[in-house]
Amino acid sequence: MPGYPDDSELLKKAQTGDTDAFGELYQRHAPAVYRYLLAHLGSQMDAEDLTNEVFLRAWQSLPKYHERGNPLLAFLFRIAHNAVIDQYRRGRAAGGPQAELDANLADVKPGPAELFSAGFERQELLRLLGRLRPDYRTVLTLRFVSDLTPEETAQVMQRSPGAVRVLQHRALGTLRKLLDKEKR
Amino acid sequence: MNPKPSLELLLQDCLDRIARGEDDLESALARHPQAAERLRPRLELALRLQASRPALQARPGFMAASQARLLEQIRAGEKPRPVPFWRRQLPFLRPGRTFNLVTLALALLCVVTMGQNLILGSRLALPGETLYPLKRGIEQAQLALSLSPAGDTRLQIEFSQRRAAEIVELILDEQYDQAPYATQLLGQQVNAGLESLDALAGQDAALAETMGQSFAESLANEQLLFDVLLQTYPPLAHPVIKLALEVTQYGLETLHD
C-alpha cells in the first residue's frame, strides 16, 4: 500500500540506522510482545521493563539479522522468549519459575487500568495460563494472545509447524479440562 | 483414498477459516461433522483466548512513553538499561509483594547503614541521575516497613505526588530526555496508589474514601500544573506533558468511578 511501508521495508531502513523506522516497528509489534510477556510473568511491571529490553536487544541484533526464512515477528518473539527464560532464572532463587509466576499472580489485582475493560477476565486468564506447563502456556500465548501463525510460533519455539499444531491441540485440551474441573 | 486428517489439522483448518473471515464457529464446525463434537470445546476455547486479548493490554500511555524512551536510548547509543541494583538483589522489594521478615531485616539494614547525607541527597534525585535508584529503593524500604494498608496507601499517594513533581522538575530544567520515563513511573505509581486504595477499602471503607478524596485532590492539582506547563512551554515538551495529563486524568476518572 502506498505510504504504508510493510515490516520488510521498515526493517531494511532500521538496519541502516533509521530510528524512526524502528519506532514504527515498535508501535506495530510492542503490544503483542507485551501481552506475551505479561501472560508469562504475571507482573505488569516486569512485562513493561522487559518489553523495552526486548526491543533494545532487537535493535542491537539488527546488524546480524537476516530476514531470509526468519520473519521479524519470530525474531522479536525469540528474543522475548529468551528474556522470559532469563527472568525465570533470576527468580529461581525465590523458588523457580512456577513460584515466581505464582508470586507475581498474587500481585495481579485488577488494577485501575483493568477495572475498566477486563477486570476479572485478566486475572482469570493469567491464573489459568499459569497453571499450564511452560510449553503449553507458550504455544497458547503465541498463537492466541499474541496472534502469531503456526509457522511463526514454530520458529519461536524451534519446532516444526506440525509439532506446534499438535502442541496447540493438546494445550487447548488440557486447559479445557482445567476449566471443566473448576466448574464442578 | 486419502488418510483421515488428524484432529490437529482439522482444528487448524477451522481456526484459519475463522481468522480469514470465511466461517464463524458453527459454519467451521459444520465442515467437519464427524469431528465437530470433539473439535467444539477446543475451538470455543481458542476463540475465547483470542477474545481475551484486550484484557492483557498495557496501561494507557505506556506504549507511547516506552517507545519515546526506547528511541532516546537508541539515539543516545545507550546499552540496555540494566535492572536497578536494588531490584536485582532484592526482587521481593516491590510494591504489592508479600511482606516478610527478610524484607524487614534488609530494609532496616539499608536504612541504618546508609549515610544520612546520601539519603538526603537521593531524596532530591531525578530520573536518570545516579542517586535516583537509591531514592526509589528507600521508598520500597518505607513500604516494606509500613505495617498497615492505610500506611501503604498514604505512602503510595505520597510517592505518586513525588513522581508528578519529578516530571515538573524535569520539564522546568528542560531535561526532556528523561521525561517520558518519569511519566511511565507516574503511571505505575498512580496504579499502585489506586490498587492500595482498593485493598484498604476492603478493610476500612470510610478511611479509603477520605484518602481517595485526598488522592483525587492531589491529582487535580497536578493536572492544573501540567495544564499551565502545556500553555507556557515550547512544543518540544508537549508530548510528555500530554502524557502526564492523560495519566492524571485516568487516575481521576478511576477514583470517581
Side-chain angles (χ1 to χ4, degrees):
Chain A
M1 195 192 295
Y4 192 76
D6 64 15
D7 279 3
S8 243
E9 287 173 57
L10 289 171
L11 191 61
K12 275 180 200 148
K13 287 184 181 173
Q15 283 183 308
T16 63
D18 183 338
T19 50
D20 288 336
F22 191 69
E24 176 65 30
L25 288 172
Y26 180 93
Q27 215 168 345
R28 285 183 192 181
H29 301 302
V33 169
Y34 172 86
R35 289 196 298 272
Y36 172 82
L37 294 169
L38 180 59
H40 277 78
L41 302 170
S43 155
Q44 185 175 279
M45 204 188 283
D46 286 342
E48 288 179 355
D49 284 351
L50 279 199
T51 302
N52 194 275
E53 196 176 316
V54 164
F55 279 84
L56 265 176
R57 284 195 208 174
W59 171 259
Q60 288 161 347
S61 307
L62 279 184
K64 292 179 278 176
Y65 171 71
H66 299 289
E67 200 184 2
R68 195 178 48 240
N70 186 17
L72 175 70
L73 267 186
F75 166 68
L76 283 175
F77 277 87
R78 187 75 211 147
I79 296 175
H81 186 66
N82 290 336
V84 167
I85 292 170
D86 288 349
Q87 185 77 356
Y88 281 159
R89 282 187 189 133
R90 284 202 285 263
R92 187 162 285 170
Q98 195 54 47
E100 170 84 355
L101 185 68
D102 290 346
N104 284 335
L105 287 178
D107 291 348
V108 185
K109 295 178 193 122
E114 298 77 48
L115 286 172
F116 272 135
S117 57
F120 179 70
E121 272 184 16
R122 172 175 176 157
Q123 266 187 303
E124 184 184 31
L125 183 62
L126 291 176
R127 186 180 57 78
L128 287 169
L129 289 172
R131 290 187 63 188
L132 295 174
R133 47 184 250 203
D135 54 348
Y136 284 2
R137 190 188 313 147
T138 299
V139 76
L140 293 185
T141 310
L142 289 171
R143 287 284 292 117
F144 304 117
V145 175
S146 294
D147 201 24
L148 266 62
T149 63
E151 290 70 27
E152 288 163 343
T153 305
Q155 287 185 326
V156 177
M157 298 187 74
Q158 298 186 321
R159 297 180 188 216
S160 68
V164 164
R165 278 194 295 272
V166 171
L167 200 63
Q168 159 186 289
H169 187 262
R170 288 182 184 160
L172 285 169
T174 303
L175 190 54
R176 182 79 261 169
K177 278 182 200 156
L178 270 176
L179 279 168
D180 291 344
K181 208 187 274 182
E182 287 187 0
K183 269 189 202 160
R184 272 184 236 134
Chain B
M1 199 172 119
N2 286 336
K4 214 166 110 183
S6 66
L7 270 181
E8 295 87 11
L9 275 175
L10 295 181
L11 176 69
Q12 191 55 53
D13 178 56
C14 293
L15 286 168
D16 290 342
R17 285 176 185 280
I18 293 171
R20 290 195 297 265
E22 294 168 5
D23 274 326
D24 59 15
L25 172 72
E26 296 305 330
S27 57
L29 287 173
R31 289 179 188 274
H32 310 290
Q34 289 90 351
E37 203 181 320
R38 281 180 294 162
L39 285 174
R40 178 182 290 280
R42 287 178 172 85
L43 199 50
E44 281 177 348
L45 191 51
L47 297 179
R48 198 173 156 194
L49 283 172
Q50 285 175 343
S52 302
R53 272 178 214 154
L56 296 184
Q57 266 172 5
R59 289 175 298 108
F62 165 72
M63 285 298 163
S66 172
Q67 182 186 4
R69 186 173 145 234
L70 175 76
L71 292 181
E72 274 158 18
Q73 283 176 295
I74 286 172
R75 283 170 187 147
E78 279 183 25
K79 288 182 177 161
R81 187 185 189 87
V83 176
F85 168 80
W86 61 270
R87 211 168 134 180
R88 204 167 50 237
Q89 300 305 319
L90 312 172
F92 37 82
L93 280 181
R94 293 186 197 176
R97 280 289 161 93
T98 313
F99 176 82
N100 62 36
L101 286 174
V102 183
T103 306
L104 174 63
L106 283 165
L108 282 172
L109 189 67
C110 171
V111 171
V112 170
T113 53
M114 279 173 187
Q116 201 181 2
N117 289 339
L118 195 61
I119 293 173
L120 285 174
S122 77
R123 288 190 62 154
L124 303 172
L126 293 173
E129 293 177 359
T130 318
L131 287 179
Y132 192 70
L134 176 61
K135 178 181 185 176
R136 302 289 310 282
I138 291 170
E139 288 176 359
Q140 295 309 314
Q142 283 180 278
L143 275 173
L145 290 167
S146 155
L147 297 173
S148 68
D152 285 355
T153 308
R154 197 167 289 117
L155 284 170
Q156 297 285 18
I157 294 173
E158 187 189 324
F159 297 158
S160 149
Q161 291 162 345
R162 283 189 200 172
R163 297 297 86 83
E166 286 162 5
I167 297 172
V168 174
E169 280 188 59
L170 287 169
I171 293 169
L172 294 177
D173 290 351
E174 296 181 359
Q175 292 184 48
Y176 302 132
D177 57 330
Q178 288 297 328
Y181 174 55
T183 315
Q184 194 180 322
L185 293 179
L186 174 66
Q188 285 174 359
Q189 196 54 59
V190 168
N191 260 336
L194 293 167
E195 281 180 16
S196 190
L197 268 174
D198 271 350
L200 179 63
Q203 293 194 347
D204 188 340
L207 182 58
E209 196 180 334
T210 311
M211 294 181 93
Q213 281 166 0
S214 133
F215 196 12
E217 269 171 38
S218 80
L219 286 170
N221 288 337
E222 286 151 13
Q223 203 167 42
L224 198 66
L225 193 53
F226 288 132
D227 262 330
V228 173
L229 289 174
L230 193 62
Q231 306 304 321
T232 51
Y233 267 70
L236 191 61
H238 288 185
V240 76
I241 299 174
K242 283 180 184 166
L243 267 180
L245 276 167
E246 200 180 311
V247 171
T248 48
Q249 179 60 27
Y250 175 70
L252 280 169
E253 283 173 5
T254 310
L255 280 167
H256 288 148
D257 279 346

